[in-house]
Amino acid sequence: QQLSAAGAPPFPRCSGTLTAVSVSGRPGTEVVALFGGSQGFFEGFSNSLCILQGDNSVSISDAASRHMGLTWCEPVVRAGKAEDGVPDARWGHSAVSWRGKLILFGGSNTQHCFNDTWILDVSTNPKENSRQLLATWRKLKLGSDVRPPSRAGQTVSLVGDSLYVFGGCHISDVFNDLWKLDLSVSPAPIWEKLNVVGTPPAPRVGHAAVVLGDRIVYSGGRGSPTAGAMGTYATADQGLATMQGLTFFEGGFAMLDISRGRWLPIQHPNRSVYQQSDEDDDADMEAEGVWEHRTGHVMV
């Protein structure tokens, strides 16, 4: 169902992020933060931040489900530290919600590819009678110089208090490495490259991920053949398109078991296909393999 919202809508874009975050100073209230993205080569990349909120301080989930008022607005954006500034314009970044705050990682633009990590806090504005929200960016200080190579098009998944970064690309380099950052470590967390048991998915970019308990499920994307990795490519007779020399993966799900530290084999689920003739009202159901290939999709 398409929802309508008041206020000036955000400009059209691709590869931005939408993240639900809490509002400090309004207990129990969440809003949706839209950050970054691209309007194409000629229009360039953005680091704009737009907020979709429920009217009268109603939480976004209640406002949407109950068909109450929604409004787009631009918050007052500021840097937590002047020397750090705010995140550069980018697309292909990742964002998750952790303890009510937005955690941003990676992305790229025409000049740079990033491996920085930022924290965004959305709060009420202390100025008297101001209805604008306040958005404060803080660059995460790390306890080590070790960090993932710069990349875009990766997935970042939150399990407990830890971020798990998988895949992505930097120009023509496509990754299937796995990194962990425990955000609960204070004051300066450290990135850790994980070497887990089992065969990892082949290097890829533009894939999707969803967390189920202590497991992360990955699907799709595009990449390139690599020895010692798993992943089956769709073939040309399936309508395959290639982009930047990268080939789309067939549908299927790779699973990372966090508690056991193990990659599980790729699963190709079956789909039920109904076949019905004009003479027979009874439909026969036949299971077929699901082989769709896609990139830039989402899983929830």
Side-chain angles (χ1 to χ4, degrees), residues 17-34:
T17 52
L18 275 173
T19 314
V21 297
S22 300
V23 179
S24 300
R26 292 182 186 170
T29 300
E30 283 189 326
V31 297
V32 169
L34 171 63

Side-chain angles (χ1 to χ4, degrees), residues 92-230:
H93 50 283
S94 300
V96 298
S97 180
W98 174 70
R99 299 185 181 181
K101 303 181 188 300
L102 183 151
I103 308 296
L104 172 73
F105 173 80
S108 67
N109 57 35
T110 51
Q111 280 81 38
H112 299 286
C113 198
F114 303 100
N115 62 351
D116 48 358
T117 308
W118 294 80
I119 299 177
L120 175 70
D121 179 63
V122 176
S123 62
T124 55
N125 197 324
K127 290 186 177 181
E128 186 176 0
N129 297 325
S130 176
R131 294 187 177 183
Q132 269 190 303
L133 294 174
L134 186 64
T136 304
W137 285 107
R138 177 169 62 88
K139 192 172 186 178
L140 184 63
K141 302 303 179 184
L142 301 173
S144 168
D145 290 334
V146 175
R147 64 195 66 191
S150 301
R151 65 190 66 198
Q154 69 287 327
T155 54
V156 174
S157 305
L158 182 71
V159 181
D161 288 315
S162 295
L163 297 180
Y164 290 85
V165 174
F166 174 74
C169 70
H170 184 182
I171 309 177
S172 60
D173 294 327
V174 187
F175 306 110
N176 70 337
D177 51 354
L178 180 66
W179 292 80
K180 174 185 176 182
L181 181 68
D182 187 347
L183 296 170
S184 67
V185 175
S186 182
I190 296 174
W191 281 106
E192 176 187 1
K193 186 176 183 180
L194 301 181
N195 295 303
V196 300
V197 177
T199 305
R204 61 191 63 202
V205 58
H207 50 288
V210 65
V211 176
L212 297 175
D214 62 351
R215 296 183 176 186
I216 307 174
V217 180
Y218 300 94
S219 178
R222 63 188 196 275
S224 52
T226 300
M230 61 181 178

Side-chain angles (χ1 to χ4, degrees), residues 199 201 204 215-220 230-232 249-256 263-271 288-292 299:
T199 305
R204 61 191 63 202
R215 296 183 176 186
I216 307 174
V217 180
Y218 300 94
S219 178
M230 61 181 178
T232 306
F249 285 99
E250 287 180 342
F253 300 95
M255 189 174 297
L256 175 65
W263 285 108
L264 303 179
I266 288 183
Q267 302 293 316
H268 289 283
N270 290 326
R271 61 178 174 181
E288 294 184 358
V290 179
W291 303 111
E292 290 105 341
M299 294 195 300

